[in-house]
Amino acid sequence: MATEDDFKTMDQIIYRVAAKQVYDQLKTNQDGLSSEEAKERLQQFGKNTIKEKQGRPLYLQFLSNFISMMAILLWISGGIAFVAKMPELGVAVWCVNIINGIFSFIQEYKASKATEALKSMLASYARVIRDGKEVQILTDELVPGDVMLITEGEKISADARLIEASDLQVNQSALTGESNPVRKFSDAIHRNDLTNLEIANLIFTGSTVSSGSGKAVVFKTGMDTELGKIAGLTQNVTDEQSPLQKELNRLTKQISIIALTFGFIFFVLAVFFVKDPVAESFIFALGMIVAFIPEGLLPTVTLALARGVQRMVKKNALVKNLSSVETLGCTTVICTDKTGTLTQNEMTVNHLWLPDKELEVTGTGYAPKGEIIDGDHKITFKTNPDVNLLLTAASLCSNARILPPDEKNPRYTVLGDPTEACLGVVAEKAGLRLENIQNEQPRIRELHFDSRRKRMTTIHQLNKPIHGKNRVAYTKGAPKELIELCENVLINGQIQPITDDMKKKAMTANDSYARQGLRVLAVAVRYLGLDDQDIPTSLSAYTPEIIEQKMTFIGLVVMADPPRPEVKEAVQKCHQAGIRIVMITGDYGLTAESIAKRIGIVTGDHPRVISGLELEGMSDDQLKNALKDEVIFARVAPEQKYRVVDNLQQLGEVVAVTGDGVNDAPALKKADIGVAMGITGTDVAKEAADMILTDDNFASIVHAVEQGRAAYNNIRKFLLYILNSNVPEAAPSMAFLLSKGAIPLPLTIMQILFIDLGTDLIPALGLGSEKPEAGIMNKPPRNLKEPLLNRTILIKAFFWYGILESIVSLSAYFFVNSINGFSLGNLAEEGSATYITATTMTLAAIVFCQIGAVMNCRTENESVFKIGFLKNVTINAGIILEVILLLVIMHVPLLQKVFGTAPIGVQSWIFLICIPPIILAIEEIRKAISRRIVQTHK
């Protein structure tokens, strides 16, 4: 009986042995396993399933929204309010916390379904041979040693070694990220320079059969398969706090220190200076601590990020987690795939090489729009016989088809190999109609491609004889191998013997194209007659050895997957923004380097290209050194992409990763921000990612980074705005204490709460919707060590706006006293009508100061008039709303009692209306001086 140890290292040797020896290696035979043996192996190896790691229960996910550091601070401040005999304040603060927690949970509820999506990669049933008979079994019953049968259209449900293959092509894009079907065969392979996914006699779980059929013996199942390893990597990635979450925690500590410091100062002043009783002083100090905590900050941050999510959707970026919005803004490295992200994932012929000339082909993609150009002249199949034969041969020697756009698929859809699909497109650009030439030259035989010959041939019946022959063989394949088999060459419609110089000329052209990362196919023709002595009578007797000789070389077809037109500009923006781009692709190094140079990802002449095999032999220290310079990774495995991301993070980088395949899931999960493709991306990639690009376009990532930076700047703007009112809220209490009660308290705790949770909130949200400022992408990513609440904000909030607003608001309090006959030494007593009106005026003055401040906070140094004074509709609506709220609490009797307010007179309204322009003008002068200083330094 086979043991687990027998199969542990099977993938290292199984591809090296001949097909007949595979049965012995895997302890089975051509009749398959017996039912009894299969049952024993199922118990031994377990079911062929992707095991799911137990996730965090839903209730814990819900509760986590109520136990962040900021949320805990609000719970404590609400509790303090109850102790300080202010139950209304306590209830209000706790309600804010509950509403914010529920809102955050709804916004971020995206249960990780990556493992579930991986399970969907497995088919439901598999066809196997057991007890000498073909039977259909559930895929989870597959075991090592099972002889599995596969055919076109089927999903492969276990890693297996082929022992028979007939024109077999397998789509491994879910595992490699490369869309081209991979040809498979059953011969033994004795190379050491291949990764598992490159080995042509192995097939893997999660792949699909594009064409052909085969028989294979299973050697890995369940979590031991390549797909299982990806699942294990994905599940083992632990979620870490985003940079913004870390910043909010740090901000909570800072605010707590500030609030406690001011509370302590007020307590000391009340006890030792005013000589108030200790109990009363303690309650007063508690009230001031609550007042200094910006209760509206957390919901404002949450709602602002939600607004950022909405704006990103318009830029084709769907963000799943709120905090990911800001993470984009501090991204320092983008690890990007090539195919479909930087390129269009539409193979396009861009040149035709004929022995006497090179022709350019215009147009990109699968739409037959474009021309073939020779200098200033347009070439068609009618004007150039060599082009006619080259494109007729290439398009007929192809099995791919292209479906035009329809209601379900707005883009052209390829059925088959994209490399072959573009051959039909370029033929149509020359004026050929595929249906016509297929009718004129129907296919009667095909000699399938195989990796040893590196070519394929199709034989066609000619309706009209050519050169006295009634059949024709068209061959396409690798230039070197094909040209060696040619005896003749076609030049200007004439067939003539091919010389060694001509062969060298063709290979020089091929090498030149290859260095540019382009793919090249050589095309040849041979006319066949029934009376040819070396040609069998029977079609079934046609073999490559008989047909693929004495051929006439026609030319080369040159193709590439073109870069997206907007990507070059997007890459340039990244460089200007201090963001590095590292290409990690499953494609070949030369192709990757060519694309990277064309779009500006690398600027040096000789960037380092590291293959998957080279990376496997590198230590982490060597990898880190390589990552400090321009580098491209090619032909990498999933765990290697994960390793690159991990090492970048260890270097202190904030890493964004793009991906679309199952193979990308671990790296997407590991990254600070995982970006999946919405069109070509697998469900697995989408579930593992934090953001989905609905247009699969790299340029959309750059737009998202810009929005992420704007989101962080906007958080700073409304943090400044919210903290602005803290000093004028505290100044009245300070005046009360320092005057030893001679100045009755000019602002009550409930009025402070009205500012924090009422009038400040809507304009603050308006700041969260500000568009990115000019030049935001010309600066490097923010320094993660610099706190959200930095020195600049503290100085502006407490020593600039704070003092300014304190002077204005206290002046308003004294102004009401003055117009009602009271003087500085004889102010209205607490509880009197004039006192209530005066505190209302203090409140209103702070609100009107904040109207000017919110306009000032829209820009850091730029004039607010330059960006459009009234362009932010949310801020405009917020200003109108806060004035309405102010009027409501002044005139509604019930609210007058709650907030201790009263109506104010015409003189007071004139006073208030003058405040915003003055605040605005003073700040505009400061900004102008600041701009001049910056300009002088430049």
Side-chain angles (χ1 to χ4, degrees):
M1 178 181 166
T3 64
E4 285 191 54
D5 289 338
D6 291 333
F7 291 92
K8 274 184 180 177
T9 57
M10 192 59 69
D11 56 343
Q12 298 173 20
I13 58 171
I14 194 65
Y15 64 91
R16 298 175 181 275
V17 300
K20 290 180 180 178
Q21 296 175 302
V22 172
Y23 291 121
D24 296 333
Q25 289 287 335
L26 294 168
K27 307 292 192 294
T28 186
N29 57 65
Q30 59 186 5
D31 291 330
L33 299 172
S34 66
S35 299
E36 192 63 33
E37 175 67 14
K39 189 180 292 184
E40 288 179 9
R41 291 194 185 189
L42 187 61
Q43 289 180 342
Q44 181 183 357
F45 294 101
K47 288 195 172 185
N48 178 36
T49 56
I50 302 298
K51 294 175 183 176
E52 190 168 358
K53 190 176 180 180
Q54 189 65 37
R56 193 167 54 153
L58 190 62
Y59 75 90
L60 287 180
Q61 293 179 37
F62 177 74
L63 290 176
S64 66
N65 291 280
F66 301 95
I67 55 173
S68 67
M69 288 194 71
M70 181 62 79
I72 290 170
L73 182 60
L74 291 180
W75 290 124
I76 293 171
S77 64
I80 291 172
F82 279 103
V83 173
K85 299 180 181 178
M86 293 179 286
E88 302 94 341
L89 177 59
V91 170
V93 171
W94 283 357
C95 283
V96 167
N97 217 9
I98 291 168
I99 291 168
N100 181 74
I102 293 171
F103 181 79
S104 297
F105 176 73
I106 292 169
Q107 285 289 321
E108 296 195 351
Y109 172 57
K110 295 284 180 183
S112 178
K113 298 179 181 176
T115 306
E116 188 178 326
L118 277 165
K119 288 180 179 178
S120 69
M121 301 295 295
L122 298 173
S124 300
Y125 294 93
R127 292 184 300 121
V128 298
I129 297 175
R130 284 190 181 172
D131 300 315
K133 298 176 183 177
E134 181 183 326
V135 293
Q136 185 170 273
I137 63 170
L138 291 169
T139 54
D140 62 7
E141 294 176 1
L142 277 171
V143 294
D146 262 325
V147 179
M148 186 169 59
L149 304 174
I150 55 172
T151 190
E152 185 172 337
E154 290 182 346
K155 280 186 179 180
I156 297 167
S157 301
D159 291 2
R161 163 67 156 88
L162 286 165
I163 49 176
E164 291 180 16
S166 175
D167 190 30
L168 183 63
Q169 293 190 67
V170 175
N171 187 331
Q172 296 182 169
S173 59
L175 296 170
T176 64
E178 296 303 309
S179 57
N180 291 342
V182 180
R183 296 186 183 273
K184 298 287 185 176
F185 55 86
S186 59
D187 294 351
I189 295 173
H190 299 287
R191 291 174 59 183
N192 297 316
D193 59 341
L194 300 173
T195 63
N196 276 4
L197 293 172
E198 291 178 305
I199 298 172
N201 60 17
L202 301 183
I203 55 176
F204 303 97
T205 310
S207 305
T208 54
V209 181
S210 300
S211 64
S213 60
K215 182 188 288 188
V217 182
V218 174
F219 67 89
K220 294 281 187 185
T221 59
M223 295 299 287
D224 292 327
T225 63
E226 293 296 318
L227 188 71
K229 291 175 187 175
I230 292 170
L233 273 176
T234 306
Q235 291 173 16
N236 289 328
V237 177
T238 54
D239 291 330
E240 296 184 3
Q241 287 188 321
S242 72
L244 180 61
Q245 289 167 330
K246 293 175 183 175
E247 273 305 310
L248 288 176
N249 288 341
R250 179 156 57 174
L251 179 62
T252 302
K253 294 174 185 175
Q254 290 174 314
I255 289 173
S256 300
I257 292 168
I258 292 170
L260 288 170
T261 301
F262 274 92
F264 178 74
I265 290 170
F266 281 117
F267 176 75
V268 170
L269 287 174
V271 173
F272 297 103
F273 192 75
V274 184
K275 307 297 183 182
D276 277 347
V278 173
E280 287 184 20
S281 299
F282 181 69
I283 289 173
F284 179 75
L286 290 179
M288 291 313 300
I289 289 171
V290 175
F292 256 86
I293 294 170
E295 290 84 5
L297 178 61
L298 197 57
T300 305
V301 170
T302 303
L303 290 168
L305 291 176
R307 290 290 295 272
V309 169
Q310 292 169 358
R311 290 198 306 273
M312 285 184 180
V313 168
K314 295 176 183 177
K315 296 286 187 179
N316 302 308
L318 180 63
V319 180
K320 293 162 62 177
N321 303 309
L322 289 180
S323 59
S324 299
V325 174
E326 191 280 326
T327 305
L328 276 162
C330 54
T331 296
T332 58
V333 176
I334 299 175
C335 294
T336 179
D337 194 6
K338 177 184 70 69
T339 306
T341 308
L342 300 173
T343 65
Q344 299 179 34
N345 198 19
E346 294 184 338
M347 196 62 72
T348 304
V349 174
N350 50 35
H351 288 89
L352 300 177
W353 188 89
L354 300 173
D356 63 336
K357 65 180 66 177
E358 181 187 50
L359 306 175
E360 183 184 350
V361 182
T362 65
T364 59
Y366 295 128
K369 296 177 182 177
E371 298 176 339
I372 299 172
I373 299 171
D374 180 12
D376 296 329
H377 304 290
K378 177 181 175 181
I379 303 295
T380 68
F381 78 100
K382 293 179 179 178
T383 60
N384 190 309
D386 293 4
V387 168
N388 180 16
L389 186 57
L390 176 66
L391 296 182
T392 297
S395 58
L396 288 179
C397 189
S398 165
N399 293 319
R401 289 192 300 130
I402 295 180
L403 302 180
D406 55 26
E407 292 181 0
K408 290 183 179 179
N409 296 303
R411 303 170 65 180
Y412 283 85
T413 304
V414 174
L415 301 179
D417 189 337
T419 303
E420 292 189 335
C422 65
L423 301 175
V425 176
V426 70
E428 294 203 23
K429 289 178 181 179
L432 289 166
R433 291 292 172 264
L434 296 182
E435 298 84 358
N436 295 344
I437 58 176
Q438 285 168 352
N439 291 332
E440 291 168 5
Q441 303 181 34
R443 183 187 296 188
I444 54 176
R445 180 88 163 92
E446 177 180 344
L447 303 176
H448 301 302
F449 175 93
D450 70 53
S451 58
R452 290 164 298 177
R453 291 163 43 237
K454 297 183 180 179
R455 57 187 176 272
M456 71 172 284
T457 298
T458 55
I459 294 92
H460 301 261
Q461 187 71 43
L462 296 172
N463 290 346
K464 296 178 182 178
I466 298 177
H467 303 305
K469 311 290 185 180
N470 56 0
R471 288 178 181 171
V472 62
Y474 295 127
T475 303
K476 74 173 193 314
K480 183 179 179 182
E481 286 75 6
L482 185 58
I483 292 172
E484 286 300 320
L485 296 171
C486 294
E487 293 183 356
N488 302 301
V489 61
L490 182 72
I491 302 177
N492 291 323
Q494 301 297 314
I495 295 176
Q496 50 189 271
I498 192 168
T499 63
D500 288 341
D501 287 343
M502 177 57 70
K503 289 182 179 181
K504 287 179 183 177
K505 183 180 178 182
M507 287 311 299
T508 300
N510 172 69
D511 293 344
S512 174
Y513 290 130
R515 280 193 296 272
Q516 298 173 52
L518 303 174
R519 296 187 184 181
V520 186
L521 287 176
V523 183
V525 62
R526 182 183 179 186
Y527 295 100
L528 309 172
L530 294 176
D531 55 350
D532 290 350
Q533 293 183 356
D534 56 346
I535 301 298
T537 306
S538 171
L539 275 174
S540 60
Y542 283 17
T543 64
E545 291 74 22
I546 294 173
I547 302 300
E548 293 172 353
Q549 57 172 311
K550 300 180 181 178
M551 294 187 292
T552 298
F553 173 61
I554 309 172
L556 304 174
V557 181
V558 186
M559 63 196 72
D561 181 9
R564 291 176 177 270
E566 61 281 350
V567 161
K568 191 169 185 177
E569 183 184 350
V571 169
Q572 189 177 0
K573 276 188 176 181
C574 282
H575 290 323
Q576 289 172 350
I579 300 171
R580 287 180 58 211
I581 303 172
V582 177
M583 186 189 289
I584 306 177
T585 179
D587 207 344
Y588 291 99
L590 206 57
T591 306
E593 183 182 348
S594 171
I595 292 291
K597 284 182 176 178
R598 286 174 65 186
I599 61 180
I601 285 180
V602 294
T603 54
D605 292 333
H606 304 289
R608 186 172 181 184
V609 180
I610 299 176
S611 69
L613 279 170
E614 185 182 350
L615 179 57
E616 195 174 324
M618 293 174 70
S619 68
D620 281 349
D621 288 339
Q622 289 173 321
L623 176 56
K624 286 185 177 74
N625 285 329
L627 287 167
K628 292 174 183 176
D629 299 317
E630 287 189 333
V631 62
I632 297 167
F633 295 93
R635 310 300 283 177
V636 294
E639 63 273 14
Q640 292 174 326
K641 189 170 185 178
Y642 177 98
R643 185 183 168 206
V644 171
V645 174
D646 185 39
N647 275 269
L648 281 167
Q649 289 174 328
Q650 289 178 37
L651 287 170
E653 307 284 4
V654 178
V655 185
V657 173
T658 72
D660 53 7
V662 176
N663 62 308
D664 296 316
L668 288 170
K669 195 83 172 172
K670 176 64 178 170
D672 296 287
I673 177 88
V675 183
M677 304 298 111
I679 299 173
T680 58
T682 60
D683 289 342
V684 181
K686 291 174 187 176
E687 292 298 340
D690 303 293
M691 184 174 84
I692 298 170
L693 299 182
T694 56
D695 62 349
D696 288 14
N697 195 335
F698 182 84
S700 296
I701 302 176
V702 181
H703 291 311
V705 168
E706 188 174 22
Q707 291 298 327
R709 289 189 175 188
Y712 186 79
N713 285 353
N714 290 345
I715 290 171
R716 270 198 164 151
K717 288 173 185 176
F718 61 65
L719 179 60
L720 171 62
Y721 171 74
I722 286 172
L723 293 178
N724 283 346
S725 58
N726 271 15
V727 175
E729 287 170 356
S733 300
M734 187 69 75
F736 167 72
L737 290 172
L738 293 177
S739 69
K740 297 185 178 182
I743 300 175
L745 192 62
L747 191 69
T748 67
I749 295 295
M750 287 307 294
Q751 289 169 347
I752 292 173
L753 181 67
F754 175 76
I755 295 169
D756 288 348
L757 293 180
T759 57
D760 268 3
L761 205 55
I762 304 300
L765 289 176
L767 288 172
S769 61
E770 277 292 325
K771 293 180 180 178
E773 288 190 51
I776 196 170
M777 291 297 282
N778 294 331
K779 301 175 183 177
R782 71 176 178 87
N783 186 347
L784 294 180
K785 293 179 181 178
E786 184 185 10
L788 184 63
L789 182 59
N790 61 11
R791 185 181 301 174
T792 303
I793 290 179
L794 284 171
I795 291 171
K796 274 189 180 180
F798 292 153
F799 298 102
W800 175 244
Y801 285 115
I803 292 173
L804 196 60
E805 292 186 20
S806 296
I807 293 169
V808 172
S809 59
L810 285 174
S811 298
Y813 175 77
F814 294 128
F815 174 77
V816 171
N817 273 275
S818 177
I819 62 176
N820 283 282
F822 294 91
S823 64
L824 185 60
N826 182 31
L827 296 169
E829 291 182 4
E830 192 172 331
S832 66
T834 301
Y835 169 78
I836 293 172
T837 305
T839 59
T840 304
M841 186 62 178
T842 308
L843 167 64
I846 294 174
V847 170
F848 273 75
C849 281
Q850 287 291 81
I851 290 174
V854 76
M855 286 297 181
N856 289 333
C857 289
R858 290 179 61 196
T859 63
E860 189 173 345
N861 282 313
E862 199 66 63
S863 170
V864 71
F865 296 99
K866 191 171 182 180
I867 65 169
F869 187 71
L870 298 174
K871 276 195 174 181
N872 192 317
V873 178
T874 310
I875 286 179
N876 299 337
I879 291 171
I880 294 168
L881 183 60
E882 65 182 339
V883 173
I884 291 171
L885 287 173
L886 195 59
L887 288 168
V888 169
I889 68 165
M890 284 181 185
H891 294 279
V892 175
L894 178 62
L895 295 176
Q896 285 176 343
K897 290 180 181 178
V898 173
F899 292 100
T901 53
I904 58 176
V906 175
Q907 288 176 294
S908 296
W909 278 110
I910 293 171
F911 185 103
L912 293 175
I913 290 168
C914 292
I915 294 173
I918 293 171
I919 298 288
L920 188 64
I922 292 172
E923 177 64 1
E924 281 292 309
I925 292 168
R926 186 202 67 79
K927 287 178 179 176
I929 294 170
S930 177
R931 288 196 300 273
R932 183 167 294 180
I933 291 171
V934 171
Q935 195 64 37
T936 303
H937 280 299
K938 283 184 178 179

